[in-house]
Amino acid sequence: YFLFRLSLCVSLHLYFTAFGFFCLCIISHYCLLSFFFFFFKQKTAYEMLRSLVGSEMCIRDSVEMVLNEHYYEVLDVAESLFFYMFTQLSSHTAELEAICRQYPFEPLVFQIPAELVAELGVGVIETDKAPTDKYNARIRNDTMRMLRIPYADCIALLNTVLPEDKQMSPVDDINTANEKKLGGLIKERYGVDFFISDRFPSSVRPFYTMACPDDERFTNSYDMFIRGEEISSGAQRIHDSELLLARAKSLNVDLSTIKDYVECFRLGAWPHGGFGIGLERVVMLYLGLSNIRFASLFPRDPHRITP
């Protein structure tokens, strides 16, 4: 199904899979669970396996953990995971060069240059340095320098290049084409291929996502992107059964269909959140591959489920 020369790309996927699992165990001692699973989903395969339109299976890594004070705790774990993996992968020059000879790609830039942090006024979360950047860009600290931008500010950045009749509001959903456009704008302004967007609108997130305490139009949620395409998504989830029911009712969700889910929280639950990672997508976008089949040992689509 794929040629021998693709094996290095696949081996990198296996590296992400195994290495990522152990990194999570090391980075966060309070992770509730970390596991790999296959899931079956009906939507355009471009969003997951980039094959045909229809149902598909793919491998994802999912993490759930307790939150003590803020949803940034789980976001910090996700960011630390990617930082460690990207940093370690960059040292495997021989393997990356071998892949690049067959499938040319630009090395992934995941850290904002230090001079741009100062020049643009990027905020620093751990030192409570507020951003003066026009789009409220922040980094966690001066060591990692991985970009975080609120969703509403991503919209503002997008609107600088969208025609007047296609201008977006802060609560509009960003489609795939505009996500790619946003990735290009991020690269142009901040010099990075990897970035995190948080505080997504309530209208584009599931009913069980925790609303932002300062503005209920937005949620404690986040996505991570490489080269303008999503690789990871997560959020803090509502852990209070009454709040969960109220939220579902406000969005006209059929309460009878979620009874068992709500019952799980009636005896009490810790504040919690998590994130999922599309491993094949990470490999494909890290290497700039043209098709996600090159990053999967056994590609799956509506017409191929074995072996």
Side-chain angles (χ1 to χ4, degrees):
Y1 194 79
F2 53 84
L3 302 178
F4 174 75
R5 64 183 184 175
L6 301 179
S7 61
L8 275 175
C9 303
V10 174
S11 69
L12 186 60
H13 168 241
L14 299 178
Y15 177 91
F16 268 108
T17 303
F19 192 53
F21 180 85
F22 290 111
C23 284
L24 286 168
C25 296
I26 295 169
I27 291 171
S28 177
H29 64 278
Y30 45 85
C31 281
L32 294 178
L33 56 101
S34 179
F35 60 94
F36 302 105
F37 65 95
F38 288 89
F39 72 96
F40 195 68
K41 194 163 187 175
Q42 180 76 28
K43 65 194 302 184
T44 57
Y46 174 81
E47 295 180 23
M48 288 295 174
L49 281 186
R50 211 177 193 187
S51 53
L52 303 174
V53 176
S55 305
E56 78 281 343
M57 283 183 153
C58 82
I59 300 174
R60 283 177 71 88
D61 176 26
S62 180
V63 177
E64 304 289 335
M65 55 179 276
V66 169
L67 303 178
N68 294 315
E69 294 183 4
H70 197 276
Y71 76 95
Y72 268 17
E73 293 164 30
V74 65
L75 187 52
D76 289 347
V77 169
E79 187 181 67
S80 297
L81 171 64
F82 281 114
F83 178 79
Y84 191 76
M85 291 169 71
F86 293 157
T87 301
Q88 294 300 311
L89 279 169
S90 64
S91 66
H92 290 259
T93 53
E95 292 88 344
L96 293 174
E97 287 172 1
I99 295 171
C100 194
R101 284 194 292 271
Q102 293 289 340
Y103 300 96
F105 68 95
E106 292 294 324
L108 183 78
V109 181
F110 59 94
Q111 292 181 281
I112 308 177
E115 56 272 19
L116 268 183
V117 172
E119 178 184 333
L120 296 175
V122 175
V124 183
I125 296 169
E126 290 184 356
T127 61
D128 293 324
K129 179 183 176 182
T132 56
D133 175 57
K134 182 178 180 180
Y135 301 105
N136 293 304
R138 292 164 297 163
I139 56 175
R140 180 178 169 189
N141 54 48
D142 290 320
T143 301
M144 298 175 72
R145 301 196 312 278
M146 299 179 86
L147 180 66
R148 300 185 190 186
I149 300 186
Y151 184 92
D153 292 292
C154 287
I155 294 287
L157 181 56
L158 260 177
N159 280 338
T160 63
V161 297
L162 294 178
E164 188 174 342
D165 62 337
K166 295 187 181 298
Q167 293 286 294
M168 301 174 65
S169 80
V171 295
D172 285 341
D173 193 12
I174 303 177
N175 60 30
T176 300
N178 280 337
E179 279 184 354
K180 287 188 174 183
K181 193 172 295 183
L182 176 62
L185 293 170
I186 292 288
K187 177 75 170 182
E188 182 180 337
R189 181 175 176 82
Y190 301 100
V192 291
D193 300 303
F194 174 91
F195 72 97
I196 298 168
S197 179
D198 70 324
R199 292 174 61 97
F200 276 66
S202 300
S203 58
V204 301
R205 289 295 189 175
F207 74 93
Y208 50 77
T209 307
M210 185 69 77
C212 290
D214 60 331
D215 190 341
E216 290 196 353
R217 294 180 303 160
F218 300 96
T219 59
N220 293 350
S221 58
Y222 36 84
D223 280 1
M224 281 150 266
F225 298 85
I226 292 179
R227 308 186 200 275
E229 297 191 50
E230 178 197 333
I231 56 164
S232 178
S233 184
Q236 177 184 358
R237 284 176 277 283
I238 297 173
H239 60 280
D240 179 90
S241 60
E242 297 304 319
L243 180 58
L244 195 57
L245 284 172
R247 175 71 176 156
K249 188 175 181 180
S250 70
L251 296 174
N252 298 315
V253 175
D254 183 0
L255 301 183
S256 65
T257 64
I258 62 169
K259 180 180 177 182
D260 292 338
Y261 179 74
V262 175
E263 287 295 323
C264 294
F265 300 98
R266 288 203 179 278
L267 296 180
W270 289 100
H272 64 282
F275 60 93
I277 305 171
L279 296 172
E280 289 101 339
R281 289 172 66 86
V282 174
V283 176
M284 179 188 75
L285 295 168
Y286 183 92
L287 297 175
L289 298 171
S290 61
N291 195 304
I292 201 163
R293 289 188 179 94
F294 296 165
S296 180
L297 184 60
F298 299 111
R300 296 288 182 259
D301 60 44
H303 305 291
R304 178 189 169 91
I305 59 173
T306 57

